[in-house]
Amino acid sequence: MDRKQEQTEKARPYGLLKPTALGKIPGRFLLHQEALPSLPVPPLQQTLDRYLQALQPIISEEEWNHTQELVNEFRKPGGVGERLQKGLERRAKKTENWLSDWWLKTAYLEYRLPVVVHSSPGVVLPKQDFLDRQGQLRFAAKLIEGVLDFKTMIDNETLPVEYMGGKPLCMNQYYQILSSCRIPGPKRDSIVNYAKGKKQSRHITVVHNFQFFELDVYNSDGSPLTTDQLFIQLEKIWNTSLQTNKEPIGILTTNHRNSWAKAYNNLLKDKTNKESVRAIEKSIFTVCLDAPMPRVSEDIYKSRVAAQMLHGGGSRWNSGNRWFDKTLQFIIAEDGSCGLVYEHAPSEGPPIVALLDHIVEYTKKPELIRSPMIPLPMPKKLRFNITPEIKTDIEKAKQNLNIMVQDLDVKVMVFHQFGKNFPKSEKISPDAFIQQALQLAYYRMYGHACATYESASLRMFRLGRTDTIRSTSVDSLKFVQAMDNLDKSDQEKANLLRRATQAHREYTDMVPAKTDCVMCFGPVVPDGYGVCYNPMAEHINFAISAFNSCADTNAARMAHYLEKALLDMRMLLQSTPKSKL
């Protein structure tokens, strides 16, 4: 990831004091970043104690005793632990952030499974009320204008600084999400970013019927195109791509990273192909104009859209209408379903959600100015020369993708009985409440607790990415074991629930969206669940995923148990007075 280049002009100190949406504030971003503290290296003893704490509820007593022996050996003065700790502390002195670089490489760039399902999250937006091509293109034009409006704030360094618990947060990820793309490599991928420097990207990529177009989104004077102008350009694209291309080149990006790296090098041997791929990589973002989804009943519609956002439905549907290495892809289908999929390496969810909230608000605004109709150049179609070898690569990628699509079980559940207002009324953090419901649902299904990973933010530190909240704690285990125990009183159970929610750390990373959307991602282990939730005031959106190839997991069953757990926990709290712990 490119480090923000040092700016030559002297940063003006008033930049931080006067956040303003007007004009440029050069150097403000740099000033803000430099004022953030560095990520500290936690003391060795604390790290080891927390490691043991995290293991206690999920392993047997025998394993626990054995692990304690190993940890005690590791923590001896002058031992391996101390040596490694000193190494970490030396690294922390030399780098801006001792963890972020490792995290980026290990969690993303060296991860070899496909980004589709295994890494890239999807977001389902509320269904739009258009039902035809006109409506689809009009909405797409407005969305593009909304993203460009947000981009202006990034470019001018006028983005309002975010705070959490009164602390300013690192804003670096906002500068990584536009004009960036992942590039496959044989052992490790890389990220290119064209947002900085003299020659900034001026175009987006539009994909329709598996065909890619380069669309300039700025006028010669540097002003962004208006909705009217964008609509006309999108119509031109639509009309010149009426036939579905036989070879969906984008499907190559769904493959295992090593296979895709080989195919990528092969693809780029041809000059035309190389130019087309570079145009996609350099584009600010991608807009996918999808064919309508197969008609389904209302209750499974949202789950089907979630699958469309994650993988496009397979080679026969919209999966070829993507370039999955692109950081941001907005998906708008003819039937009103829309959302996005993003490549996870450059950014966590919150900056994406902030961008989404901005766009959704923007699309609701009435259009004030009718733009004069200056004739605009034809958007450029990106051409590809398909050799027999590339054709074979596409066929292999199709087969692998379709197996993946068949294997993913995703269920979107809108829990209507209550939202975040209920736990708040009980003085409980909504996030902690939902996490305990997940623990209870899992325990009732399987009779034991399991390792649970919840993202937490490290953005209060310079270049901070994520930390992990281990939601399964000794306290959460005591609560779930007591919940269905007839020997325990309701008051005891309620006290245990409250204690478990208080033990839950508060700096969770999934900043909820203002927009009534739901994020979704695949499970990160073969026998696990991926659970995403967005608590609104009076309802909660859940997306639950599992793999069909695992006989033990089932997304619909988990959704059923989760619903019951939430209702039982509400009943428990309502039937007992708020006691002092």
Side-chain angles (χ1 to χ4, degrees), residues 41 58 137 149 204 303 310 371 383 480 509 556 561 577:
V41 177
I58 55 173
L137 299 186
D149 185 61
I204 65 168
S303 302
L310 280 171
S371 38
R383 308 223 167 253
V480 297
D509 190 32
Y561 274 86

Side-chain angles (χ1 to χ4, degrees), residues 237-270:
I237 287 173
W238 180 283
N239 290 328
T240 49
S241 53
L242 297 172
Q243 297 305 310
T244 301
N245 239 10
K246 287 189 188 67
E247 296 306 333
I249 197 82
I251 223 126
L252 290 171
T253 64
T254 67
N255 219 342
H256 186 281
R257 301 309 291 175
N258 292 349
S259 313
W260 167 218
K262 278 190 199 126
Y264 179 87
N265 288 335
N266 198 6
L267 183 67
L268 264 63
K269 284 175 188 162
D270 176 280

Side-chain angles (χ1 to χ4, degrees), residues 110-347:
E110 289 169 2
Y111 188 62
R112 300 288 81 195
L113 286 178
V115 291
V116 182
V117 173
H118 298 285
S119 172
S120 298
V123 180
V124 178
L125 285 172
K127 189 175 197 294
Q128 299 301 312
D129 54 9
F130 57 79
L131 293 161
D132 59 3
R133 176 185 65 130
Q134 290 282 101
Q136 179 190 18
L137 299 186
R138 172 75 40 196
F139 179 76
K142 191 87 181 167
L143 178 139
I144 293 165
E145 200 182 10
V147 185
L148 296 176
D149 185 61
F150 194 82
K151 182 178 184 294
T152 304
M153 290 197 286
I154 295 174
D155 293 345
N156 292 347
E157 304 190 28
T158 55
L159 260 185
V161 169
E162 292 171 341
Y163 288 82
M164 187 161 61
K167 290 180 179 169
L169 297 183
C170 174
M171 300 296 282
N172 177 57
Q173 290 175 35
Y174 284 98
Y175 294 81
Q176 312 304 329
I177 55 180
L178 295 172
S179 314
S180 60
C181 194
R182 184 162 167 164
I183 311 282
K187 291 200 175 91
R188 180 199 289 168
D189 293 357
S190 54
I191 298 171
V192 286
N193 188 320
Y194 294 94
K196 309 176 188 83
K198 297 262 188 300
K199 294 207 74 173
Q200 289 196 7
S201 311
R202 296 175 55 84
H203 70 276
I204 65 168
T205 315
V206 179
V207 208
H208 177 240
N209 271 338
F210 308 163
Q211 290 154 78
F212 290 79
F213 292 82
E214 181 181 320
L215 170 57
D216 271 334
V217 287
Y218 290 98
N219 290 302
S220 49
D221 65 357
S223 60
L225 298 192
T226 62
T227 299
D228 286 341
Q229 291 174 310
L230 289 163
F231 175 74
I232 287 167
Q233 295 298 76
L234 291 173
E235 274 213 307
K236 290 180 192 169
I237 287 173
W238 180 283
N239 290 328
T240 49
S241 53
L242 297 172
Q243 297 305 310
T244 301
N245 239 10
K246 287 189 188 67
E247 296 306 333
I249 197 82
I251 223 126
L252 290 171
T253 64
T254 67
N255 219 342
H256 186 281
R257 301 309 291 175
N258 292 349
S259 313
W260 167 218
K262 278 190 199 126
Y264 179 87
N265 288 335
N266 198 6
L267 183 67
L268 264 63
K269 284 175 188 162
D270 176 280
K271 189 170 173 286
T272 304
N273 294 350
K274 189 172 186 172
E275 280 173 12
S276 295
V277 169
R278 288 286 180 265
I280 296 170
E281 290 167 354
K282 286 180 179 176
S283 62
I284 303 167
F285 57 92
T286 297
V287 171
C288 312
L289 299 172
D290 274 14
M293 288 189 358
R295 292 203 92 104
V296 291
S297 63
E298 200 54 38
D299 59 329
I300 64 163
Y301 168 78
K302 275 193 168 156
S303 302
R304 198 52 78 80
V305 182
Q308 283 289 317
M309 298 307 140
L310 280 171
H311 53 55
S315 64
R316 294 170 67 187
W317 292 102
N318 291 301
S319 299
N321 226 37
R322 310 273 185 275
W323 190 268
F324 281 102
D325 286 3
K326 195 75 197 137
T327 308
L328 274 180
Q329 297 194 91
F330 296 94
I331 299 158
I332 303 156
E334 216 176 316
D335 58 4
S337 49
C338 62
L340 70 90
V341 60
Y342 76 94
E343 199 289 298
H344 210 324
S347 170

